[in-house]
Amino acid sequence: QFWFCIGILVFSFWYLWRVLKSIQEPDSSSDEESSSSDSSSSDDDDQGRALPNPNDANDLADYVAQRIYWPLPNPTIIRHQVLDVVEGLLDIYGSVIQKTFFPELQSAIGVGSAFEGWSPHEENIVYCLLIPMTAPRGHSFHTELGNEGDLLARNSSIRVELECTCEIKQASEDMLCFLHHSEEELEKQKPSLLDTLCTDSYLDAEKTAKWFQNFVKSAWVLTPQSQVYNVKVLPSTRSCKFQMTSATKRNITIEIIFGVQQGDSDIFLSSQRTEAILTPSTTWPQSCAVAEMKFIQHITTEAWFHTLHLKCMQVFARMLVGTSISTYFIKTVIMHLLTIIPLEMWHRDDFLLRLDDIVRYLQCCLEEKRLNHFFFGNEMIPDVIVLPPAFQFSGPVNL
């Protein structure tokens, strides 16, 4: 907050200086020139406001940078609005599940380009959040990773087991043990998670998504935002996706995915859809979305005044629309370069050099048919990111 305020002050003084300079600038035109025609004056004004020449290498950085606009209104404001909306829903959720055995939901984590700060200027931007889940009372989650060598363990799953609660003192109410009470006694109690969101003892991503979609529909009227926005839940099989529409027809689209943390690491088994044509409903592939978010935040904090890496991601995200090259590949390339090239060299003055580095790195990857995953076997990962041992001791994995 301190540095943000300093930045605002510096920007304000700079803007005021520009305004004063433009006002006090002496008029060198003669009386005869001042009586020229309106069309001639208009031409002179257009020349004075001429944009940088894209064919001039010295002006190219400004030419490109001036054409990369953030969506309006300010995305930072929208991100805070989105977080407020989701946290409000989670507060309501916490108050209505106290006597049930649905998963406990933790604070939402904004992930993806919209929260990392490099989303291209698009009308239909989606704000994605991952909500970590923990097992309810009398249950436990056991993560089962996919096949060894499978990239990001796409075939992972979450097994749910019942636990004995006979000796656990319940502070608010008596809870019947699912293992040691009869079925007749358990009929007086809410059903277990195995009977609601599981398939064959495994947590079902599609059932989880559908359950939370129904919750959003019923709980929306209880949120403060319901006075400003109408909500529409959008079709989605493995996530909860909904659109908020204001009276001025401004839309904000939010997608909530669910995840179970892998140990104490920043890797989650998530409900996010994979590239596979058919993903079984009990499959929860590993996701690095939170780790990637932490890495981008770490770099932005270390180089708080130099956000050129975000501009580079934004440029390529717009350039690659309609091509077969995924923006995730470009993001991976830039993350690798951020650990190779010193952060002080990611300044606006180095814009063209960094763009050239990205293209050359990508060209080498295409020639060698190899782009290493950023989090596997990479000794350059910052300490703020916690990875499972399998990631740390793994060899490089080709994307």
Side-chain angles (χ1 to χ4, degrees):
Q1 292 178 350
F2 171 78
W3 287 113
F4 178 77
C5 294
I6 293 297
I8 292 297
L9 289 174
V10 171
F11 177 79
S12 300
F13 281 118
W14 174 82
Y15 184 76
L16 180 61
W17 175 78
R18 290 290 300 271
V19 172
L20 292 176
K21 183 179 178 181
S22 63
I23 294 175
Q24 297 174 358
E25 189 172 324
D27 185 7
S28 59
S29 61
S30 63
D31 295 339
E32 186 175 352
E33 291 173 335
S34 64
S35 62
S36 61
S37 64
D38 293 341
S39 60
S40 176
S41 299
S42 176
D43 293 340
D44 291 341
D45 290 343
D46 291 341
Q47 292 178 1
R49 292 194 301 267
L51 292 171
N53 181 8
N55 296 319
D56 187 346
N58 295 325
D59 291 344
L60 182 57
D62 286 335
Y63 181 84
V64 175
Q66 288 182 17
R67 281 161 173 73
I68 306 169
Y69 302 104
W70 292 112
L72 295 176
N74 191 321
T76 303
I77 298 176
I78 298 182
R79 287 197 292 264
H80 285 301
Q81 289 179 348
V82 169
L83 288 172
D84 288 342
V85 167
V86 177
E87 288 301 322
L89 288 170
L90 292 179
D91 288 341
I92 297 172
Y93 176 84
S95 64
V96 300
I97 68 154
Q98 294 180 357
K99 296 182 180 181
T100 68
F101 298 95
F102 288 108
E104 297 182 5
L105 304 182
Q106 311 302 315
S107 295
I109 305 172
V111 296
S113 61
F115 281 95
E116 290 169 347
W118 59 273
S119 177
H121 178 56
E122 298 175 352
E123 294 182 359
N124 299 321
I125 186 171
V126 177
Y127 293 85
C128 185
L129 302 98
L130 184 145
I131 296 183
M133 300 188 302
T134 56
R137 300 166 298 161
H139 300 72
S140 61
F141 287 158
H142 301 272
T143 57
E144 296 182 355
L145 301 183
N147 301 328
E148 185 176 355
D150 181 24
L151 178 59
L152 286 183
R154 291 193 178 96
N155 296 322
S156 299
S157 55
I158 302 169
R159 181 166 47 85
V160 179
E161 289 187 357
L162 297 175
E163 293 188 338
C164 178
T165 57
C166 294
E167 298 181 358
I168 299 178
K169 295 181 179 180
Q170 303 298 324
S172 59
E173 61 177 341
D174 292 332
M175 173 186 167
L176 301 179
C177 177
F178 285 107
L179 293 177
H180 299 111
H181 283 82
S182 65
E183 294 183 3
E184 294 181 356
E185 293 175 307
L186 291 174
E187 288 180 354
K188 304 175 184 178
Q189 187 168 261
K190 296 292 184 181
S192 73
L193 183 61
L194 288 171
D195 296 326
T196 54
L197 301 183
C198 291
T199 299
D200 297 332
S201 300
Y202 287 92
L203 192 61
D204 192 303
E206 295 183 7
K207 290 182 180 180
T208 302
K210 184 65 176 178
W211 150 74
F212 199 79
Q213 290 170 9
N214 292 331
F215 166 75
V216 170
K217 292 177 182 178
S218 59
W220 183 254
V221 295
L222 302 177
T223 64
Q225 291 81 7
S226 63
Q227 305 299 320
V228 182
Y229 292 98
N230 292 323
V231 69
K232 177 183 179 182
V233 176
L234 304 176
S236 180
T237 57
R238 297 179 62 90
S239 65
C240 178
K241 194 172 183 179
F242 58 95
Q243 186 178 75
M244 304 188 306
T245 304
S246 67
T248 59
K249 303 302 180 182
R250 183 167 68 98
N251 295 326
I252 300 177
T253 303
I254 300 175
E255 183 174 20
I256 295 175
I257 59 176
F258 307 93
V260 173
Q261 189 175 15
Q262 189 175 335
D264 296 327
S265 72
D266 294 318
I267 306 300
F268 285 77
L269 300 191
S270 79
S271 65
Q272 198 166 17
R273 180 180 293 278
T274 66
E275 296 178 358
I277 298 177
L278 179 62
T279 302
S281 61
T282 55
T283 295
W284 295 70
Q286 280 181 317
S287 171
C288 297
V290 174
E292 292 165 5
M293 177 65 180
K294 289 185 65 175
F295 176 78
I296 298 297
Q297 284 183 334
H298 171 73
I299 295 297
T300 304
T301 302
E302 291 292 310
W304 65 274
F305 199 72
H306 311 310
T307 57
L308 186 63
H309 58 290
L310 300 179
K311 273 305 190 204
C312 290
M313 290 184 186
Q314 192 181 44
V315 168
F316 278 96
R318 298 188 67 182
M319 289 172 57
L320 294 174
V321 173
T323 71
S324 60
I325 300 178
S326 168
T327 54
Y328 187 74
F329 293 163
I330 294 297
K331 178 180 176 179
T332 302
V333 167
I334 294 177
M335 288 195 296
H336 278 298
L337 288 174
L338 284 168
T339 61
I340 298 173
I341 301 174
L343 294 182
E344 58 267 20
M345 298 180 66
W346 290 83
H347 190 270
R348 179 185 176 89
D349 296 340
D350 305 310
F351 187 39
L352 293 181
L353 293 175
R354 298 294 78 82
L355 290 181
D356 186 60
D357 289 333
I358 296 168
V359 173
R360 290 178 182 273
Y361 194 106
L362 181 61
Q363 180 181 358
C364 292
C365 293
L366 293 172
E367 291 175 351
E368 299 176 7
K369 298 182 179 180
R370 182 172 190 87
L371 172 58
N372 289 335
H373 194 285
F374 184 72
F375 292 108
F376 283 93
N378 188 353
E379 297 180 355
M380 305 295 288
I381 301 294
D383 294 337
V384 296
I385 299 173
V386 182
L387 297 176
F391 280 61
Q392 300 173 9
F393 301 114
S394 167
V397 175
N398 186 11
L399 283 178

